[in-house]
Amino acid sequence: MRLLLILLALFYSFTCLAKNERNSYSFKRIDHSQGLSNSAVISIFQDNTGIMWIGTYDGINCYDGKEIETFRSDFSAKTTLSNNIIHAIQQADSNCIWIAGNHIINRFSLSSKEVVSNYEFPGFHSPHSNKNGNTWLIGTNSIRYYTTYHHRFIK
């Protein structure tokens, strides 16, 4: 009887180890040598496709697990970030993410990899979205809601 209990315990232990192997995570160090735009990372977000978005003091970095693509402000173009200091990143809907910088919120298209709209607000605001794509901006003295019908934020 005792031998049977020991064998069952060993079998259970090996089963648990096998389950943990399938759910294990792989971590990799990412820095400037892989293409990270700045070592001061302020925000990290994983979008609904699994891509990692890393906000720094010098733009946003898109990491697919192999390569890093960096997006920065270019004031001569309308479809680039309005600010290089990225405080927060959040999913907007299945095709866009919100990128929050100093006094500005950019709506960034995942398919075209460019800013499709931007919104300016006094102070710092942090975007928060639910799985339905509803987005709220939480600021120091205000809360704003993004209306998809009018494509703007209301207080």
Side-chain angles (χ1 to χ4, degrees), residues 25-37:
Y25 296 96
S26 173
F27 292 95
K28 185 190 278 188
R29 179 185 171 141
I30 303 169
D31 60 20
H32 69 279
S33 62
Q34 285 84 23
L36 191 64
S37 63

Side-chain angles (χ1 to χ4, degrees), residues 12-25:
Y12 180 75
S13 298
F14 288 127
T15 304
C16 289
L17 285 174
K19 280 185 180 180
N20 287 339
E21 292 272 330
R22 284 183 290 186
N23 295 332
S24 65
Y25 296 96

Side-chain angles (χ1 to χ4, degrees), residues 72-82 115 118:
R72 294 183 177 97
S73 297
D74 177 2
F75 298 112
S76 65
K78 289 185 177 186
T79 59
T80 65
L81 295 177
S82 303
V115 172
N118 56 53

Side-chain angles (χ1 to χ4, degrees), residues 97-125:
I97 58 174
W98 293 109
I99 301 173
N102 288 339
H103 307 287
I104 202 103
I105 305 292
N106 292 136
R107 188 174 171 89
F108 188 86
S109 170
L110 298 174
S111 57
S112 66
K113 300 278 176 88
E114 62 185 16
V115 172
V116 292
S117 57
N118 56 53
Y119 305 89
E120 202 167 332
F121 302 106
F124 171 75
H125 288 78

